[in-house]
Amino acid sequence: MIDVINNKFFHLHNSNVSYIFYVMQNGQLGHLYYGKDLGKLSFDDLNYLIGSPTRSADVVDFDINFPNFSLAAEMQEFPVYGIGDFREGALSLSVNNSYLYPNFKYVSSQITYGKKRGDHPSSFGKDAENLIIELEETDLKLKLVLTYSLFSNSSAIVRKAEIINQGKQNIRIENIQSNVLSLPVTDYDFLQLSGAWLKERHIHLRSLSQGITKIESLRGASGHEENPFVALVDKKVTNNSGEIYASNLIYSGNFIAQVQVDQWNTCRLTSGINPETFSWQLRSNESFTSPEGVLFYTINGYNGLIRQTHNFVQNHIISPKWNKKPYPIIVNNWEATYFDFDEKSLKRLVDKSATIGAECFVLDDGWFGKRNNSHSSLGNWTVNKEKFPHGLKKFSDYVHNSKMKFGLWFEPEMISADTPLFKKHPDWVVHHPYPRYSIGRHQYVLDFCNPEVVDNIFSQIEKIIQEAEVDYIKWDMNRNITEAYSPYLTRIKRPQGEFFHRYIQGVYDLYQRLLKKFPSLLIEGCASGGGRFDLGILYYSPKIWPSDDSDAVERLDIMTGTLLAYPLSTFVNHVSAVPNEQIFRETNLKFRQDVACFGSLGYELDLNKLSDDELKEIQKYTSWYKSNRTLLNYGNFYQISPLIQDNVYSWAVANGDKQIVGFYRKLARPNETLDQYLPLSKVKLTET
């Protein structure tokens, strides 16, 4: 429910949460409260919440007409640096290299109902209520539109900001943030999901202190090293109690998420497009809209946060087409064959895949051009005739006749130097206009800012999907962007600061076009493993390869962190060979399968090298998985063991009276009993 009281107070609330802001005496918007539901509030109740903030020094009055009123002392909804507030703001504008100090004043509000799913990543839901706030900067002839969305079953507050240039001069946007949340106290730990390739999204906690605590990506993708999800966690939080505020972005490009603590120990959380690599030219009568940001709140600790984030992603991000649908058990040939395969050897692997109960065979890298190693053929999406002399359709038919779906690997955003496309269109490669530029993994990045590039890659992939009757795509992205420069932007007279945002919009456009052309196509997101595990990709890909590290022990930490923000159904988990290809650890088959079953189960090893007993064990396991697949993907997930530790991991999924518990120890120690860690008689799996 959204209440607008006396055109001054705005109260978004449901049984989970209240979010309140108001029109301050200078016409700008001030933040009052985000937390547990306060119920119906009167005008007097809301006036009481305003209080009387006092700051003894270091303040500048906003205006001669507002004595003793300073923005430095106020919690604001969309703050701007430089008009009395010396903290970093949510918006920065300039004209001809001169900074502007806009003063956006409230004009009007509107409430709408329902939120349709669009072509580009954003939240959606029939149960959405939307509060649209219009503000104006009359001197600069700018309009600012803030949109807030609230869903009936969620504590999430979804926000976005739109700037409209109603004047005649060009405006340059230097910074526009999506989320802003001010809190009056700072007694929280800053939780981030950080790591690296092969060890993504580990949980890290650090205390807030005066100054800025931040994470960011400058790689052109959300990245392995950081994730757009962050949280402010009560220092006494447990799995089932304690206050948590969290933030995420529905975005896959360069981002920033930070908390600034001022000299009075109030804090401001902001997140959005990273301003370090961003600028946008806003011509007369043009507009720019930020990606959507999402705020979450719970008083029920980590499990309460998990319930909120999982339900939001499942119901308001992932396509309804895939919601609660069973994903196929996959066999992927990569770690079984790498580039060394032909049609005959693959058919033997297909035969074995069918016997173990697999439902989809995914042909990974190496099927196209002259791709026998990582040096060649990206951007030349034609079938390798040496490996498939009868064409890919013949092999696809063999997979389909084996009662499995057929999947295919693509890396659409990349190009190799030996391809006809590279030689014909060198200006389609991302690089600055100087002789030297970087190369990663023997490949270059295509300029997805340029619609012609996206058109070309779409046409190539479309043809392969149609001819080979592809059911499933694994979309990979194996290097980050350097020397970010687009000849196309220069040609259309746009600043190069628009590159990274336009690039990720091009990626989204290709996703959308493929799914519109092939509505039943299932796309697995991948970026050299978990380099783009975010809400933007999940909007199109309901499942993501979380890491190139398939070691079951390492996956325990990756899953523990990732599950704070993203549901089990989004995980692709493969059982691989031992010693593990990435870190050479040996674990038994049961352990590997018992970790991989939480999420979407798959196998990535040479089944022909397994013993008959191992194949029978896998066959038995896939049969058990199919009968429990709905629970393992869509059941309510609970963290049982303490979240922050380094040896024991236990969690459960539950749906009514049915429960499956996972319990794992990296190292067994003498004289330890299971009930020390997993007192099942005391574990109460209830909604929080």
Side-chain angles (χ1 to χ4, degrees):
M1 178 179 292
I2 298 176
D3 298 327
V4 179
I5 299 95
N6 289 15
N7 218 30
K8 178 178 180 179
F9 294 100
F10 306 92
H11 183 194
L12 294 78
H13 61 105
N14 57 28
S15 60
N16 293 289
V17 70
S18 282
Y19 186 98
I20 306 169
F21 62 97
Y22 75 115
V23 181
M24 297 186 292
Q25 58 183 288
N26 68 339
Q28 295 185 11
L29 297 181
H31 179 78
L32 286 177
Y33 176 83
Y34 181 37
K36 63 182 181 180
D37 178 31
L38 299 179
K40 202 79 172 175
L41 297 174
S42 69
F43 182 79
D44 290 339
D45 294 330
L46 293 163
N47 257 329
Y48 177 79
L49 286 176
I50 295 176
S52 302
T54 57
R55 302 290 185 257
S56 59
D58 194 30
V59 295
V60 176
D61 288 347
F62 176 78
D63 189 295
I64 195 171
N65 298 311
F66 299 100
N68 302 317
F69 175 80
S70 172
L71 290 175
E74 301 293 334
M75 299 196 301
Q76 300 168 62
E77 276 298 294
F78 206 73
V80 175
Y81 163 80
I83 48 177
D85 185 352
F86 298 101
R87 294 165 289 181
E88 292 192 4
L91 182 69
S92 299
L93 305 175
S94 66
V95 171
N96 298 325
N97 296 319
S98 295
Y99 284 108
L100 301 176
Y101 302 100
N103 176 23
F104 285 102
K105 294 184 177 181
Y106 172 75
V107 175
S108 64
S109 67
Q110 178 187 4
I111 298 172
T112 64
Y113 300 92
K115 202 162 183 280
K116 291 183 178 179
R117 183 177 171 86
D119 290 344
H120 283 71
S122 61
S123 60
F124 62 90
K126 293 180 180 178
D127 62 332
E129 290 189 63
N130 313 292
L131 175 62
I132 303 168
I133 303 290
E134 183 179 313
L135 305 103
E136 280 190 346
E137 215 307 345
T138 54
D139 293 330
L140 297 172
K141 294 182 171 53
L142 294 173
K143 181 185 290 187
L144 171 63
V145 180
L146 301 179
T147 301
Y148 301 77
S149 296
L150 174 73
F151 301 92
S152 60
N153 63 346
S154 176
S155 74
I157 301 293
V158 180
R159 296 184 50 158
K160 66 179 179 181
E162 180 186 13
I163 299 286
I164 304 166
N165 185 1
Q166 298 177 318
K168 295 182 178 180
Q169 61 182 346
N170 291 342
I171 302 291
R172 184 72 64 93
I173 305 173
E174 309 285 357
N175 174 35
I176 182 168
Q177 297 294 286
S178 300
N179 275 337
V180 181
L181 178 64
S182 295
L183 295 172
V185 296
T186 59
D187 192 26
Y188 301 101
D189 285 327
F190 183 88
L191 184 150
Q192 62 196 70
L193 303 179
S194 302
W197 178 63
L198 300 183
K199 51 176 295 183
E200 295 89 342
R201 292 174 304 285
H202 287 217
I203 297 171
H204 294 272
L205 290 168
R206 44 182 165 152
S207 295
L208 296 178
S209 60
Q210 187 171 338
I212 293 176
T213 303
K214 78 170 182 177
I215 60 168
E216 64 180 348
S217 175
L218 296 167
R219 297 170 175 270
S222 48
H224 301 83
E225 294 72 22
E226 307 292 353
N227 189 271
F229 175 87
V230 298
L232 297 179
V233 179
D234 186 306
K235 289 182 178 292
K236 296 180 181 179
V237 72
T238 69
N239 282 347
N240 298 303
S241 67
E243 193 173 48
I244 301 175
Y245 296 91
S247 165
N248 209 340
L249 289 173
I250 309 177
Y251 193 60
S252 310
N254 287 350
F255 75 90
I256 189 170
Q258 68 176 41
V259 175
Q260 184 168 10
V261 176
D262 67 12
Q263 63 270 44
W264 299 297
N265 280 327
T266 64
C267 69
R268 174 185 292 166
L269 183 154
T270 56
S271 63
I273 296 173
N274 197 323
E276 181 69 24
T277 56
F278 173 82
S279 66
W280 194 271
Q281 182 174 261
L282 199 62
R283 294 169 177 161
S284 178
N285 297 317
E286 289 184 344
S287 66
F288 180 87
T289 304
S290 73
E292 284 190 338
V294 193
L295 297 171
F296 299 96
Y297 174 78
T298 183
I299 58 171
N300 295 310
Y302 289 121
N303 280 325
L305 175 65
I306 286 167
R307 194 72 57 248
Q308 291 297 331
T309 58
H310 288 201
N311 287 343
F312 177 79
V313 176
Q314 204 68 62
N315 295 318
H316 304 297
I317 295 294
I318 290 174
S319 171
K321 181 194 314 177
W322 300 111
N323 198 7
K324 304 297 173 73
K325 296 285 180 67
Y327 298 130
I329 297 173
I330 288 167
V331 169
N332 182 298
N333 75 299
W334 178 243
E335 288 191 20
T337 66
Y338 294 102
F339 294 107
D340 186 18
F341 63 82
D342 57 21
E343 186 175 350
K344 186 177 179 180
S345 64
L346 285 177
K347 284 182 176 179
R348 289 197 298 270
L349 190 56
V350 169
D351 293 342
K352 279 290 196 300
S353 302
T355 63
I356 66 165
E359 298 159 314
C360 180
F361 185 88
V362 177
L363 175 56
D364 210 282
D365 196 355
W367 60 268
F368 53 94
K370 298 178 181 178
R371 183 79 163 176
N372 297 312
N373 54 52
S374 62
H375 295 241
S376 172
S377 301
L378 292 171
N380 180 17
W381 301 107
T382 57
V383 178
N384 186 317
K385 295 296 185 181
E386 292 183 4
K387 295 181 179 180
F388 297 96
H390 307 294
L392 199 56
K393 175 63 163 59
K394 187 81 170 178
F395 179 70
S396 172
D397 287 343
Y398 190 84
V399 174
H400 286 135
N401 290 335
S402 301
K403 308 300 182 186
M404 288 185 287
K405 295 182 182 298
F406 177 57
L408 202 57
W409 180 95
F410 287 93
E411 194 168 1
E413 302 158 64
M414 303 294 155
I415 190 167
S416 302
D418 68 341
T419 55
L421 190 64
F422 186 97
K423 293 167 185 175
K424 184 178 180 180
H425 293 289
D427 59 319
W428 285 8
V429 177
V430 175
H431 68 283
H432 57 54
Y434 306 111
R436 187 215 62 80
Y437 50 95
S438 306
I439 184 168
R441 202 176 178 262
H442 315 293
Q443 63 195 51
Y444 301 97
V445 183
L446 284 167
D447 181 7
F448 266 45
C449 299
N450 186 343
E452 290 181 84
V453 176
V454 179
D455 289 345
N456 181 284
I457 298 303
F458 171 76
S459 297
Q460 291 193 58
I461 296 177
E462 175 191 34
K463 184 178 180 182
I464 291 291
I465 293 174
Q466 286 177 327
E467 290 179 353
E469 297 182 2
V470 177
D471 307 296
Y472 184 107
I473 282 180
K474 182 177 180 181
W475 178 318
D476 211 342
M477 190 276 288
N478 279 303
R479 68 153 289 189
N480 293 128
I481 296 170
T482 55
E483 290 91 26
Y485 178 90
S486 168
Y488 168 77
L489 292 180
T490 298
R491 191 166 73 243
I492 65 170
K493 296 181 171 53
R494 303 293 300 193
Q496 291 296 326
E498 297 182 3
F499 175 89
F500 281 106
H501 186 67
R502 286 184 179 270
Y503 178 91
I504 203 63
Q505 297 302 311
V507 172
Y508 293 154
D509 184 50
L510 181 57
Y511 260 111
Q512 179 65 25
R513 290 172 68 178
L514 287 170
L515 291 170
K516 185 175 181 179
K517 178 71 176 182
F518 305 102
S520 62
L521 183 68
L522 177 56
I523 303 179
E524 173 190 335
C526 178
S528 194
R532 245 177 4 200
F533 204 117
D534 56 65
L535 298 180
I537 297 301
L538 285 172
Y539 191 77
Y540 304 105
S541 292
K543 50 193 287 186
I544 296 176
W545 180 234
S547 178
D548 279 345
D549 192 340
S550 56
D551 170 56
V553 174
E554 172 57 31
R555 282 294 182 102
L556 293 173
D557 287 304
I558 292 171
M559 290 180 70
T560 298
T562 310
L563 282 164
L564 285 177
Y566 307 98
L568 272 173
S569 64
T570 65
F571 279 76
V572 182
N573 297 320
H574 289 179
V575 177
S576 58
V578 291
N580 177 264
E581 293 281 354
Q582 291 82 40
I583 59 174
F584 309 110
R585 193 189 332 251
E586 294 211 31
T587 53
N588 65 54
L589 180 58
K590 179 178 180 354
F591 177 72
R592 282 175 276 152
Q593 293 187 123
D594 284 348
V595 173
C597 74
F598 286 92
S600 183
L601 177 65
Y603 293 83
E604 191 172 334
L605 71 171
D606 192 345
L607 299 171
N608 292 300
K609 292 181 179 179
L610 300 183
S611 68
D612 289 342
D613 287 344
E614 288 173 317
L615 290 171
K616 287 178 182 177
E617 183 179 346
I618 292 174
Q619 187 179 42
K620 182 179 179 181
Y621 202 90
T622 58
S623 178
W624 171 85
Y625 178 81
K626 289 173 186 176
S627 65
N628 292 281
R629 177 163 36 195
T630 300
L631 178 59
L632 288 163
N633 280 269
Y634 300 109
N636 292 320
F637 178 87
Y638 298 86
Q639 186 71 36
I640 298 175
S641 60
L643 194 75
I644 311 299
Q645 46 75 56
D646 61 0
N647 189 52
V648 176
Y649 300 76
S650 58
W651 52 57
V653 288
N655 187 5
D657 294 333
K658 191 170 184 180
Q659 302 170 9
I660 297 175
V661 176
F663 175 82
Y664 319 91
R665 277 185 291 197
K666 290 182 178 179
L667 295 172
R669 299 187 177 110
N671 296 321
E672 286 186 330
T673 58
L674 184 63
D675 60 4
Q676 287 179 264
Y677 300 103
L678 197 62
L680 289 177
S681 62
K682 299 178 183 178
V683 173
K684 198 173 182 183
L685 305 182
T686 58
E687 291 293 330
T688 55

